[in-house]
């Protein structure tokens, strides 16, 4: 073995306990040493394959090391393409912007300029919040119950989860919390309440700059906003002069079928955040898109050393060309999503426990009346060779986030592992049926 190969061959697992911060989390649920990843599978050092129904929390929509994307990057590096360039113009950036415009923005009639933020989702959210405040001159931003927008302080103020909020150890300001669709139970229109507070001069709600929303709450338990609710939300924003920010960091890039998760609702947000699967290959990359008149930044006013990851530009452009030149991929995702829906409904139907199917597209899952059961199913599935996580305020939802490129055969395999894991866990319980 030469020195350059050594890090890849390192099988020392004790180093994580010894040297890595306690903050690590996924590694606690799936405590293996992974060495390879290809398509829909991760492989541990022993070579055992694990079907990946987590997909880097939605960062690997096109699977691991997709050959088209990998080869594009390898070629670029071999040709000594620019790796780091601050926000200088590069050929890789030009190609990404042009491809985004031709294949994504123009066909959808979306009039956005692109801000390259730091490479994480939270960076894109921070930029979105700042621009909304700077443009309107107002401070507060409406965020929804169970929303998740990242853990940097501005984004964290918009996030609902108390586990994450508590770690801030300081005031989280600037958010007004409103109930997401369905939060107050069936038949209650949460937007009616929202609008009432806006129309009431003594409701205590100051005129917000913007509203930030996920169309499907990825971390919040796969709560799905209906197309009608989203359209009404957009109308409400327009009536009350508030900007609409769609945080499409998890639900975007094809996860729900269309490239943007809001397309189905026929709305045009003022600001959109994208990250996670934007690079296609799982590289850190984020953008904030907004209408040109919102572009009130002075040069360098909002910056960051890693704005614009040239490697990600290359793979993102290759991704758009390969998957988004026509609607074939979108149709394929919808077909797989239908299959997932059908199978999850079957699992729920046959279970000796009240399970509820939640989510949309290839972002669906099962909510358990008894929350710890979802974690138990995740552990059981892992034992059977699949990586799948939970989400929701009590981690009560088992969330299927397989690569969109998964074969029908592997999709069915994963759903069967899930079915068997649910059955195995429930057979160890004697729970009364309860409504979630
Ligand atoms: N917004 C949404 C909807 C997310 O799901 C996430 C992460 O899961 C974020 C923002 C934050 O992204 P990051 O973890 O890259 O900062």
């Amino acid at each position: 073995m030469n020195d350059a190969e050594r890090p890849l061959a390192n099988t020392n697992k004790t180093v994580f306990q010894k040297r890595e911060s306690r903050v690590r989390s996924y590694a606690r649920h799936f405590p293996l040493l992974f060495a390879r990843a290809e398509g829909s599978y991760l492989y541990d050092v022993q070579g055992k394959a694990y079907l990946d129904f987590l997909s880097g929390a939605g960062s690997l929509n096109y699977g691991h090391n997709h050959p088209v994307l990998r080869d594009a990057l390898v070629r670029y590096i071999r040709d000594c393409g620019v790796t780091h360039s601050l926000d200088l113009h590069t050929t890789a950036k030009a190609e990404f912007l042009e491809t985004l415009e031709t294949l994504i923005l123009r066909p959808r009639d979306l009039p956005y300029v692109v801000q390259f933020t730091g490479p994480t989702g939270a960076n894109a959210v921070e930029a979105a919040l700042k621009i909304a405040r700077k443009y309107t001159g107002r401070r507060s931003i409406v965020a929804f119950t169970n929303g998740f927008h990242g853990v940097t302080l501005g984004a964290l103020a918009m996030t609902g989860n108390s586990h994450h909020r508590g770690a801030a150890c300081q005031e989280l300001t600037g958010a007004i919390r409103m109930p997401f669709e369905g939060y107050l139970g069936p038949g209650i229109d949460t937007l009616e309440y929202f609008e009432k507070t806006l129309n009431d001069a003594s409701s205590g709600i100051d005129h917000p700059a913007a509203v930030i929303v996920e169309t499907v709450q990825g971390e919040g338990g796969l709560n799905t906003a209906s197309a009608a609710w989203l359209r009404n939300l957009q109308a409400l924003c327009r009536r009350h002069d508030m900007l609409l920010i769609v945080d499409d960091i998890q639900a975007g890039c094809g996860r729900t079928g269309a490239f943007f998760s809001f397309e189905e609702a026929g709305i045009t947000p003022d600001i959109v955040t994208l990250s996670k699967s934007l690079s296609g290959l799982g590289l850190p990359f984020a953008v904030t898109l907004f209408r040109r008149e919102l572009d009130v930044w002075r040069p360098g006013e909002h910056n960051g050393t890693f704005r614009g990851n040239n490697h990600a530009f290359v793979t993102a452009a290759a991704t758009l060309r390969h998957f988004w030149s026509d609607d074939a991929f979108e149709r394929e995702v919808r077909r797989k999503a239908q299959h997932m829906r059908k199978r999850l409904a079957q699992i729920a139907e046959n279970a000796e426990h009240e399970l509820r199917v939640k989510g949309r597209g290839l972002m669906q899952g099962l909510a358990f009346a008894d929350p710890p059961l979802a974690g138990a199913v995740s552990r059981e599935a892992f034992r059977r060779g699949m990586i799948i996580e939970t989400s929701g305020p009590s981690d009560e939802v088992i969330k299927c986030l397989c690569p969109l490129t998964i074969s029908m055969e592997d999709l069915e395999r994963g759903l069967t592992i899930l079915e068997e894991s649910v059955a195995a866990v429930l057979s160890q319980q004697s729970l009364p049926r309860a409504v979630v």
Side-chain angles (χ1 to χ4, degrees):
M1 181 198 303
N2 66 38
D3 278 353
E5 283 170 352
R6 201 174 302 280
L8 284 176
N10 193 333
T11 58
N12 178 10
K13 242 174 89 176
T14 58
V15 73
F16 303 111
Q17 279 78 38
K18 204 165 106 200
R19 283 290 162 227
E20 192 179 358
S21 160
R22 288 165 50 85
V23 79
R24 63 192 186 278
S25 60
Y26 292 108
R28 295 175 191 278
H29 301 172
F30 311 107
L32 291 175
L33 193 55
F34 293 102
R36 280 191 71 246
E38 195 174 353
S40 301
Y41 287 88
L42 276 158
Y43 298 85
D44 73 4
V45 269
Q46 321 298 339
K48 181 170 174 195
Y50 287 83
L51 185 55
D52 190 355
F53 262 47
L54 173 58
S55 301
S59 305
L60 293 159
N61 282 3
Y62 313 96
H64 294 271
N65 288 309
H66 190 285
V68 171
L69 316 182
R70 182 199 57 202
D71 292 352
L73 181 57
V74 167
R75 253 192 328 272
Y76 181 79
I77 294 175
R78 282 229 177 93
D79 292 348
C80 286
V82 177
T83 295
H84 186 273
S85 55
L86 297 167
D87 67 2
L88 295 173
H89 298 327
T90 63
T91 51
K93 189 196 270 193
E95 177 63 15
F96 168 71
L97 280 172
E98 265 186 30
T99 313
L100 182 76
E101 182 182 336
T102 356
L103 295 181
I104 303 296
L105 300 180
R106 212 185 298 142
R108 291 164 181 79
D109 206 15
L110 292 169
Y112 299 140
V113 293
V114 181
Q115 179 179 354
F116 295 103
T117 66
T120 69
N123 290 143
V125 170
E126 294 290 350
L129 303 177
K130 260 169 105 169
I131 196 100
R133 290 181 170 125
K134 190 169 158 61
Y135 178 78
T136 60
R138 290 176 234 133
R139 286 208 197 146
S140 53
I141 292 182
V142 170
F144 290 98
T145 48
N146 297 125
F148 184 89
H149 301 285
V151 298
T152 52
L153 292 176
L156 188 56
M158 304 297 139
T159 292
N161 188 296
S162 58
H163 170 66
H164 296 111
R165 290 174 67 87
C169 300
Q170 67 162 71
E171 290 297 306
L172 293 169
T173 56
I176 296 171
R177 193 75 43 190
M178 285 291 161
F180 192 72
E181 185 178 19
Y183 188 74
L184 300 175
I188 299 181
D189 182 357
T190 54
L191 294 180
E192 223 172 85
Y193 165 72
F194 184 178
E195 185 147 35
K196 184 164 184 176
T197 66
L198 296 173
N199 287 331
D200 179 352
S202 65
S203 66
I205 303 291
D206 299 325
H207 188 184
V211 172
I212 184 164
V213 68
E214 295 159 89
T215 66
V216 183
Q217 296 186 317
E219 300 306 298
L222 298 178
N223 308 311
T224 306
S226 65
W229 190 84
L230 289 170
R231 280 194 291 273
N232 290 340
L233 178 63
Q234 175 173 270
L236 184 141
C237 284
R238 297 207 170 139
R239 275 199 299 283
H240 291 273
D241 182 29
M242 303 179 295
L243 298 171
L244 177 61
I245 306 169
V246 170
D247 180 349
D248 231 7
I249 285 166
Q250 190 161 150
C253 299
R255 183 49 68 184
T256 64
F259 186 81
F260 294 104
S261 71
F262 54 81
E263 286 178 48
E264 203 173 295
I267 60 170
T268 306
D270 300 291
I271 305 176
V272 180
T273 55
L274 283 178
S275 179
K276 288 202 188 271
S277 279
L278 183 59
S279 80
L281 196 66
L283 301 174
F285 186 32
V287 294
T288 304
L289 311 173
F290 41 83
R291 289 192 285 110
R292 184 169 292 284
E293 65 264 38
L294 305 186
D295 197 4
V296 291
W297 293 121
R298 287 200 300 267
E301 201 176 17
H302 184 75
N303 67 11
T305 306
F306 290 100
R307 279 168 303 141
N309 173 347
N310 282 276
H311 290 175
F313 292 148
V314 171
T315 57
T319 300
L320 298 181
R321 282 193 301 268
H322 190 73
F323 292 99
W324 297 98
S325 292
D326 56 33
D327 66 353
F329 183 64
E330 181 173 338
R331 281 191 278 111
E332 184 189 319
V333 174
R334 289 191 197 284
R335 191 165 56 89
K336 289 172 185 168
Q338 266 173 16
H339 181 70
M340 184 180 275
R341 191 79 181 179
K342 193 181 86 195
R343 292 288 283 113
L344 291 177
Q346 274 169 5
I347 298 172
E349 176 82 24
N350 297 334
E352 285 295 310
H353 181 76
E354 194 78 28
L355 294 177
R356 189 152 59 100
V357 183
K358 295 182 81 179
R360 184 158 74 86
L362 279 179
M363 192 177 181
Q364 300 185 54
L366 291 168
F368 287 75
D370 189 18
L373 292 182
V377 168
S378 164
R379 287 188 293 279
E380 182 61 29
F382 182 50
R383 224 178 49 77
R384 292 164 187 258
M386 183 163 84
I387 293 175
I388 185 165
E389 258 293 10
T390 58
S391 84
S394 308
D395 290 321
E396 75 282 10
V397 178
I398 189 104
K399 180 165 91 168
C400 299
L401 220 58
C402 60
L404 310 181
T405 48
I406 194 169
S407 65
M408 280 308 275
E409 194 186 356
D410 280 339
L411 176 60
E412 181 47 32
R413 181 165 175 262
L415 291 165
T416 304
I417 293 176
L418 180 61
E419 183 170 44
E420 290 167 356
S421 304
V422 169
V425 167
L426 293 182
S427 73
Q428 291 152 19
Q429 310 286 320
S430 51
L431 286 168
R433 288 175 76 88
V435 178
V436 182

